[in-house]
Amino acid sequence: MKQAIALDRLQRTLGVICGKDTAPEVRVRRAAHGLGLRFRLHRADLPGTPDLLFTSRRLAVFVHGCFWHRHPRCPKASAPSSEFWATKFKSNVARDRRVEKELRALGWDVIVIWECETKKSETLARILTTKILRRKVGSVKRSASRLRHRKR
Ligand SMILES: [Zn+2]
């Protein structure tokens, strides 16, 4: 049983590594479409290749697996069973932070939607409404235009 769970996690993990469309990603896209939001997928020229990109809102969205990306206080992000995984997870979290910093420096706002938040469609719709649809964009746009001015 324990092995079956480990295998299931590994397969999901490999799906993330290979950049395949994960089920949580598909759920987020569907919910965003349902709210009339338009976005681009996997822009590889941006740090971390954001899962969804809301260009006019200057917003990059990552859909993170709770186990792989260590969702804080989430039951799905159980303690790693070995030193190997502990190290691996630490570097994943560090990379996520670095990517977020790089995107913000380029004038993008960044939000993370966790796998466990995509399970119930009502919860997901509420999150997307609050975090994307009703989001204030002023501050990000201002800093982005400042950035463009400096480049000229
Ligand atoms: Zn979670």
Side-chain angles (χ1 to χ4, degrees):
M1 185 58 196
K2 212 174 174 186
Q3 265 170 344
I5 292 170
L7 186 65
D8 172 56
R9 274 181 185 155
L10 185 65
Q11 280 165 341
R12 264 185 284 154
T13 298
L14 290 173
V16 172
I17 292 168
C18 300
K20 264 191 278 170
D21 302 336
T22 61
E25 261 180 63
V26 173
R27 285 197 288 267
V28 171
R29 280 186 227 162
R30 210 172 287 154
H33 260 301
L35 291 169
L37 291 162
R38 293 295 169 260
F39 47 85
R40 295 186 58 182
L41 298 174
H42 304 131
R43 271 271 304 269
D45 56 326
L46 286 174
T49 314
D51 296 317
L52 288 83
L53 201 73
F54 297 85
T55 314
S56 61
R57 295 165 193 264
R58 290 297 285 181
L59 178 68
V61 174
F62 290 94
V63 183
H64 278 346
C66 300
F67 182 70
W68 188 242
H69 293 270
R70 314 313 290 162
H71 187 189
R73 291 176 299 279
C74 178
K76 283 185 171 280
S78 55
S81 53
S82 70
E83 195 61 32
F84 170 79
W85 284 107
T87 312
K88 188 90 191 100
F89 289 148
K90 220 183 256 177
S91 83
N92 287 347
V93 172
R95 191 187 52 219
D96 289 344
R97 282 208 195 106
R98 195 176 59 238
V99 161
E100 184 173 336
K101 235 172 124 183
E102 285 170 6
L103 282 166
R104 288 190 189 279
L106 292 168
W108 291 92
D109 206 356
V110 178
I111 68 167
V112 170
I113 295 173
W114 293 97
E115 175 191 3
C116 66
E117 297 173 328
T118 68
K119 295 278 152 113
K120 285 192 185 140
S121 54
E122 316 86 73
T123 314
L124 183 55
R126 202 182 54 229
I127 290 171
L128 294 180
T129 304
T130 331
K131 289 191 174 174
I132 302 175
L133 212 54
R134 297 203 189 127
R135 200 179 64 99
K136 306 242 185 308
V137 284
S139 58
V140 181
K141 269 198 172 153
R142 267 199 304 277
S143 59
S145 67
R146 258 206 312 272
L147 213 80
R148 275 197 295 274
H149 274 297
R150 233 181 288 148
K151 272 185 181 168
R152 271 180 206 146

